[in-house]
Amino acid sequence: EPEVTQTPSHQVTQMGQEVILRCVPISNHLYFYWYRQILGQKVEFLVSFYNNEISEKSEIFDDQFSVERPDGSNFTLKIRSTKLEDSAMYFCASSENNGFEQYFGPGTRLTVT
Amino acid sequence: AQRVTQPEKLLSVFKGAPVELKCNYSYSGSPELFWYVQYSRQRLQLLLRHISRESIKGFTADLNKGETSFHLKKPFAQEEDSAMYYCALWTGGFKTIFGAGTRLFVKA
């Protein structure tokens, strides 16, 4: 069964550094999402992406964040200048259609020191 | 405001007992609701969605628009049901809102 994959599984970075989190969605899916989960807190929507552009973003997704689909398979989340409070689990998800079941990746644990 | 509330952080039941995980939502339109589950060391996965009205692994959930609730129920809990359960709301845009989650612990 096809799965969403994410790399790396754990990323440690220093405050102020740029990080890129990578995701490979399921191949025939058209909608892509990033969520984050700070330890002990809820899963929070960051951004959705469709047809090579952002379709919706949350208030968390400020100018420090960007997403890209650089080729036909990868979907990336970039944080330009990381802060301590960016430490969280970041989940990528994809779905065949909007509002349908979302398939989640295993997550990338980002630790900002 | 669009919101999903799961009032219980932790629910502990004995094996064979009924279980109900509560979910209330706030949304003025016609919602689409889901339950996602995360077993230990596994990824989030869909358990069920209200529109399909299926029973998955013995779990059911009924949308009650009057009470704005979508509680997840199972008549006889099994140890393998121990997991984190998230209620989620899709409001027709491109965003899904998750509740804070309830950890279900089924004791032998």
Side-chain angles (χ1 to χ4, degrees):
Chain A
E1 190 178 323
E3 285 186 332
V4 175
T5 59
Q6 288 185 245
T7 53
S9 55
H10 190 192
Q11 171 98 43
V12 182
T13 189
Q14 287 193 325
M15 198 165 55
Q17 296 296 304
E18 174 184 285
V19 293
I20 297 177
L21 309 183
R22 292 184 165 79
C23 168
V24 179
I26 293 173
S27 61
N28 65 329
H29 285 185
L30 301 175
Y31 295 81
F32 314 114
Y33 313 85
W34 282 101
Y35 295 86
R36 81 168 184 195
Q37 185 175 32
I38 295 170
L39 188 63
Q41 297 187 26
K42 62 166 67 178
V43 174
E44 298 175 290
F45 169 81
L46 290 177
V47 66
S48 56
F49 192 86
Y50 169 69
N51 204 24
N52 281 320
E53 59 183 25
I54 290 173
S55 39
E56 190 158 354
K57 59 184 181 179
S58 72
E59 53 279 359
I60 302 167
F61 194 88
D62 61 21
D63 292 343
Q64 292 300 311
F65 291 88
S66 62
V67 288
E68 199 176 35
R69 191 152 158 81
D71 53 44
S73 58
N74 289 283
F75 179 50
T76 61
L77 174 71
K78 185 195 293 187
I79 309 175
R80 247 178 285 281
S81 177
T82 49
K83 308 187 200 63
L84 293 175
E85 53 265 36
D86 293 329
S87 294
M89 196 76 165
Y90 288 81
F91 294 103
C92 171
S94 69
S95 67
E96 198 174 341
N97 210 335
N98 193 23
F100 278 37
E101 172 182 359
Q102 292 181 32
Y103 290 79
F104 281 79
T108 292
R109 180 167 298 287
L110 176 65
T111 302
V112 183
T113 61
Chain B
Q2 299 156 2
R3 191 168 50 243
V4 176
T5 304
Q6 292 180 253
E8 302 136 331
K9 279 194 162 178
L10 173 66
L11 185 63
S12 184
V13 301
F14 282 102
K15 178 180 162 183
V19 64
E20 181 178 69
L21 298 161
K22 291 185 166 46
C23 171
N24 288 91
Y25 65 91
S26 172
Y27 177 57
S28 55
S30 190
E32 181 94 23
L33 284 143
F34 303 80
W35 275 98
Y36 282 83
V37 61
Q38 188 172 30
Y39 300 103
S40 180
R41 302 185 193 285
Q42 294 186 30
R43 62 188 68 199
L44 265 165
Q45 55 187 282
L46 182 72
L47 182 62
L48 56 81
R49 57 187 295 194
H50 90 270
I51 202 166
S52 62
R53 302 190 64 80
E54 292 176 293
S55 170
I56 308 288
K57 299 186 180 183
F59 284 98
T60 58
D62 286 317
L63 177 61
N64 185 323
K65 290 187 179 180
E67 295 183 0
T68 60
S69 68
F70 188 56
H71 302 328
L72 183 68
K73 298 177 188 178
K74 185 169 181 176
F76 308 104
Q78 303 297 314
E79 286 179 79
E80 55 266 28
D81 296 328
S82 294
M84 197 74 182
Y85 291 81
Y86 295 95
C87 183
L89 166 70
W90 180 67
T91 59
F94 294 91
K95 177 165 124 173
T96 297
I97 300 164
F98 282 78
T102 298
R103 181 167 297 285
L104 174 65
F105 180 55
V106 181
K107 298 177 281 194

